[in-house]
Amino acid sequence: MTRLRIVVDAPFDEFRSRFELAVPPLDTERMAELFEARASWDEVKATIAAYAPHDLMIYATVDATPLMSLAGHNRPCVEYLMGNHVIAERMFRHDPAALLYAPLRVALYEDADGHTVFAIDQPSTVFAGLGNPAITRVGLELDRELDALLVHLGIGPVTRS
């Protein structure tokens, strides 16, 4: 797999705010409503399309900063699980093992020189490891989604797919 490490020309907190505005958290209440109503997959797709302006959502946020500070580290680091279950389903149908890598893992941190860094494993190179051309094609689409997000954030595109 190919790790993408993008140095961002913005302070950590500023870039983190921009990222979190561009990639909203999953609306778990709405997803629960759809599940309870036994909504159609088309309803789910429409809900996600309306909710995620860049086709990606945050499923989880893990701020490692407080815990790592107990070990004497003072640099911020936040991990995100970012994805879209409508896109993930297109891989899951071929091999549920795709969920080993979906949602995507993003690390936003400050390096030793004080630069903000956005790091992610390039989706196409991750999903290609499953050896299924249909999954690899979706990984290539995710490269394009990632590039579009990074362009919006002012730091991309970066993939070479």
Side-chain angles (χ1 to χ4, degrees):
M1 79 179 64
T2 300
R3 175 135 319 116
L4 304 172
R5 183 184 182 280
I6 305 148
V7 176
V8 178
D9 189 22
F12 178 86
D13 289 332
E14 176 189 315
F15 185 76
R16 179 181 182 185
S17 293
R18 286 188 358 226
F19 173 75
E20 291 178 356
L21 282 173
V23 184
L26 174 68
D27 185 344
T28 54
E29 288 181 21
R30 179 65 181 132
M31 290 298 107
E33 289 170 2
L34 291 170
F35 181 75
E36 288 296 319
R38 303 298 301 154
S40 71
W41 192 243
D42 285 339
E43 284 180 84
V44 172
K45 291 189 322 189
T47 298
I48 297 308
Y51 182 72
H54 299 282
D55 293 325
L56 298 165
M57 298 165 290
I58 296 171
Y59 287 86
T61 303
V62 179
D63 188 343
T65 308
L67 183 60
M68 293 301 156
S69 72
L70 297 177
H73 304 288
N74 61 1
R75 293 181 283 153
C77 180
V78 180
E79 177 187 7
Y80 298 93
L81 296 181
M82 173 183 80
N84 179 323
H85 42 278
V86 172
I87 297 170
E89 183 279 328
R90 295 178 39 228
M91 295 181 286
F92 180 89
R93 70 176 74 152
H94 299 287
D95 185 351
L99 295 188
L100 288 167
Y101 310 113
L104 305 168
R105 294 176 76 142
V106 172
L108 182 59
Y109 61 92
E110 196 173 275
D111 69 13
D113 296 322
H115 299 111
T116 302
V117 176
F118 179 96
I120 188 170
D121 293 327
Q122 184 176 348
S124 63
T125 65
V126 172
F127 291 111
L130 293 171
N132 183 312
I135 293 172
T136 300
R137 280 191 296 279
V138 177
L140 290 165
E141 290 177 32
L142 283 167
D143 283 359
R144 291 187 291 276
E145 296 285 348
L146 175 62
D147 272 342
L149 172 64
L150 296 177
V151 166
H152 172 79
L153 293 171
I155 61 170
V158 296
T159 65
R160 292 166 195 85
S161 53

